[in-house]
């Protein structure tokens, strides 16, 4: 017996005063030997529409469906807790890497100040007319995370449309299995390389991406490299953003496509706690303490050599931070999606239990009426 329209059956609640209902009290009194059927006719149009959408399922089918929903609820709840634990570690990875990035920015800034009066050509900071743009699109490796992957892919599609409108060529470097499968199915989008992510971003993985974009930019195959990833805002919000990866800012700042500095001054921790038996979110602001850069510090090497060595290192740190932010956003989106799925499963289980109890009570009532009618006929 099919239960495909069971939700429609749940939404239509027959009352005892409705004589058109197959389980109505009046119909059972007027004809106690008549069993509830699906073919009862009525003159009320609204009641006929309601009864036509009713699909009766057997008790066994309802029990199986309730058991299936219970198992699904357990799975989604477990996935939510796992994602919540991983989000914490992902945030810690972002914050722990911040002192290194902050100190590196300070070094780059001071070296750049010393080079202001010298005519030195630094390839990674050279701004040239843009003819071709490389887009590094960072997506997730797994699904069940709401619209996380869809939002960053839509952002990439929008940026590609803008570049086409400006008459610029482009190429894509896809990072993540979801993005790879998306671009593979669209051969008309030029893709330079497909890279797979990992469950925990590492400097080695970021270095592989940095080497690829470095070679493209230095060889002048592309004139600009943009990084598209999902920035972690909170446990319930994440924003797909576009940052200019190359040419690098001489002062070591992270800039968007318009040249505005978007580097965060502080980080926030979001952790799950229990309050009055319910899960709640607490927020802590973390400010990274970095030592001041000494103005009298002297370099043994030529500042241009130091800059050539530090800029690729900072490029690697930018990519690693983007991968970590994207992972934290993915885990937060999965936690939110699994939380919603758990709530929906709980609500569906409650509705199915109500339907099951009503069906069981109707069956018992029908059997009692048959016994009473048989006894009256023999009397």
């Amino acid at each position: 017996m099919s239960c495909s329209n069971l939700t429609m059956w749940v939404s239509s609640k027959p009352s005892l005063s409705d004589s058109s209902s197959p389980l109505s009290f009046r119909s059972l009194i007027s004809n106690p030997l008549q069993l509830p059927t699906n073919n009862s006719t009525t003159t009320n149009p609204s009641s006929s529409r309601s009864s036509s959408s009713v699909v009766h399922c057997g008790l066994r089918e309802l029990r199986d469906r309730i058991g299936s929903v219970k198992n699904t609820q357990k799975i989604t709840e477990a996935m939510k807790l796992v994602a919540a634990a991983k989000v914490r570690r992902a945030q810690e990875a972002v914050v722990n890497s911040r002192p290194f990035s902050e100190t590196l920015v300070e070094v780059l800034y001071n070296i750049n100040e010393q080079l202001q009066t010298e005519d030195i050509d630094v390839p990674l900071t050279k701004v040239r007319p843009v003819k071709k743009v490389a887009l590094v699109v960072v997506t997730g490796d797994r699904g069940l995370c709401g619209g996380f992957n869809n939002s960053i892919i839509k952002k990439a599609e929008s940026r590609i449309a803008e570049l086409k409108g400006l008459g610029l060529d482009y190429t894509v470097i896809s990072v993540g299995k979801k993005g790879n499968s998306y671009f593979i199915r669209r051969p008309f989008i030029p893709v330079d390389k497909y890279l797979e992510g990992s469950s925990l971003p590492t400097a080695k993985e970021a270095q592989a991406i940095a080497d690829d974009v470095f070679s493209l930019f230095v060889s002048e195959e592309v004139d600009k490299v943009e990084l598209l990833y999902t920035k972690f805002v909170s446990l319930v919000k994440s924003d797909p953003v576009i940052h200019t990866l190359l040419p690098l800012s001489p002062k070591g700042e992270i800039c968007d496509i318009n040249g505005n500095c978007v580097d965060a001054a502080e980080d926030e921790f979001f952790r799950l706690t229990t309050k009055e038996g319910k899960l709640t979110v607490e927020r802590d602001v973390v400010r990274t303490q970095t030592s001041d850069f000494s103005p009298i510090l002297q370099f043994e090497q030529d500042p241009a050599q130091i800059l050539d060595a530090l800029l690729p290192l900072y490029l690697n740190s930018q990519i690693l931070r983007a991968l970590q932010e994207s992972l934290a956003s993915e885990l937060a989106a999965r936690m939110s999606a699994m939380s919603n799925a758990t709530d929906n499963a709980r609500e569906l289980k409650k509705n199915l239990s109500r339907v099951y109890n009503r069906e069981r009570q109707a069956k018992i009532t029908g059997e009692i009426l048959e016994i009473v009618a048989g006894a009256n006929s023999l009397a």
Side-chain angles (χ1 to χ4, degrees):
M1 185 178 295
S2 176
C3 298
S4 58
N5 295 332
L6 185 58
T7 305
M8 299 175 64
W9 194 91
V10 173
S11 61
S12 58
K13 300 178 181 179
S15 60
L16 292 178
S17 61
D18 186 7
S19 60
S20 63
S21 174
L23 301 178
S24 64
F25 182 74
R26 291 181 183 177
S27 61
L28 292 175
I29 293 298
S30 60
N31 190 359
L33 295 179
Q34 181 182 0
L35 294 178
T37 62
N38 292 336
N39 299 324
S40 60
T41 60
T42 178
T43 58
N44 190 347
S46 61
S47 300
S48 63
R49 287 194 299 268
S50 176
S51 60
S52 63
S53 63
V54 175
V55 176
H56 293 279
C57 294
L59 296 179
R60 179 177 298 177
E61 287 82 0
L62 285 171
R63 280 197 301 267
D64 294 342
R65 183 73 184 277
I66 292 173
S68 176
V69 172
K70 285 182 178 179
N71 293 334
T72 303
Q73 180 184 351
K74 292 178 182 178
I75 294 173
T76 55
E77 192 167 4
M79 292 184 66
K80 180 184 73 173
L81 296 177
V82 170
K86 290 184 177 180
V87 162
R88 176 70 179 185
R89 292 200 296 268
Q91 291 181 91
E92 289 177 349
V94 173
V95 175
N96 291 338
S97 65
R98 193 158 187 82
F100 173 77
S101 299
E102 291 288 343
T103 305
L104 191 56
V105 168
E106 195 73 21
V107 173
L108 289 174
Y109 180 81
N110 283 272
I111 294 177
N112 181 71
E113 289 294 324
Q114 298 182 18
L115 297 178
Q116 290 297 322
T117 58
E118 302 180 20
D119 186 15
I120 297 177
D121 184 20
V122 181
L124 292 183
T125 61
K126 184 178 181 180
V127 179
R128 52 180 181 260
V130 178
K131 298 179 181 179
K132 188 175 183 180
V133 179
L135 303 176
V136 182
V137 183
V138 181
T139 59
D141 290 334
R142 299 171 57 193
L144 296 177
C145 51
F148 168 78
N149 293 305
N150 191 33
S151 61
I152 191 64
I153 289 176
K154 282 186 176 180
K155 190 76 172 180
E157 289 281 4
S158 176
R159 184 56 179 165
I160 289 174
E162 291 179 6
L163 294 176
K164 287 182 178 179
L166 296 173
L168 300 177
D169 294 332
Y170 65 93
T171 185
V172 175
I173 300 175
S174 177
V175 181
K177 293 181 180 178
K178 290 298 180 179
N180 293 348
S181 61
Y182 177 83
F183 291 113
I184 287 174
R185 293 194 301 267
R186 289 159 178 81
F188 56 88
I189 298 178
V191 179
D192 180 75
K193 184 173 289 188
Y194 297 97
L195 300 172
E196 291 189 1
S198 61
S199 58
L200 185 62
T202 60
K204 183 179 180 180
E205 180 182 347
Q207 188 63 46
I209 303 173
D211 291 342
D212 192 31
V213 298
F214 179 82
S215 61
L216 288 175
F217 186 78
V218 173
S219 63
E220 297 188 2
E221 294 184 28
V222 298
D223 304 305
K224 188 178 182 181
V225 180
E226 296 178 355
L227 182 62
L228 289 78
Y229 68 99
T230 307
K231 183 175 179 60
F232 180 81
V233 180
S234 68
L235 289 177
V236 294
K237 182 182 178 182
S238 56
D239 296 329
V241 295
I242 304 177
H243 288 172
T244 299
L245 196 58
L246 291 174
L248 287 173
S249 170
K251 296 182 180 181
E253 298 173 340
I254 300 177
C255 300
D256 61 10
I257 56 176
N258 298 319
N260 300 321
C261 180
V262 294
D263 200 6
E266 59 188 25
D267 294 289
E268 289 183 330
F269 265 157
F270 298 88
R271 66 169 181 268
L272 288 177
T273 59
T274 56
K275 185 177 181 180
E276 297 180 356
K278 296 182 180 180
L279 288 177
T280 58
V281 179
E282 290 187 358
R283 177 180 303 182
D284 295 334
V285 177
V286 179
R287 292 180 174 84
T288 306
Q289 300 294 332
T290 57
S291 57
D292 295 334
F293 192 83
S294 176
I296 61 174
L297 185 63
Q298 299 292 326
F299 296 97
E300 293 183 0
Q301 296 85 358
D302 183 45
Q305 295 180 358
I306 299 177
L307 198 62
D308 288 338
L310 290 183
L311 284 178
L313 186 61
Y314 185 67
L315 174 65
N316 188 3
S317 67
Q318 279 193 14
I319 296 175
L320 179 59
R321 180 176 176 84
L323 295 176
Q324 293 171 340
E325 292 254 8
S326 180
L327 176 63
S329 302
E330 179 185 359
L331 293 172
R334 180 171 293 113
M335 186 187 71
S336 179
M338 292 299 101
S339 178
N340 294 334
T342 302
D343 295 339
N344 293 338
R346 187 179 295 110
E347 183 68 19
L348 180 59
K349 184 178 67 174
K350 183 174 69 174
N351 292 338
L352 289 174
S353 300
R354 186 185 301 116
V355 173
Y356 175 80
N357 294 334
R358 189 180 300 158
E359 187 82 9
R360 184 171 58 87
Q361 188 63 38
K363 184 177 180 181
I364 294 173
T365 304
E367 292 176 354
I368 292 175
L369 290 175
E370 286 182 2
I371 293 174
V372 172
N376 290 338
S377 64
L378 294 176

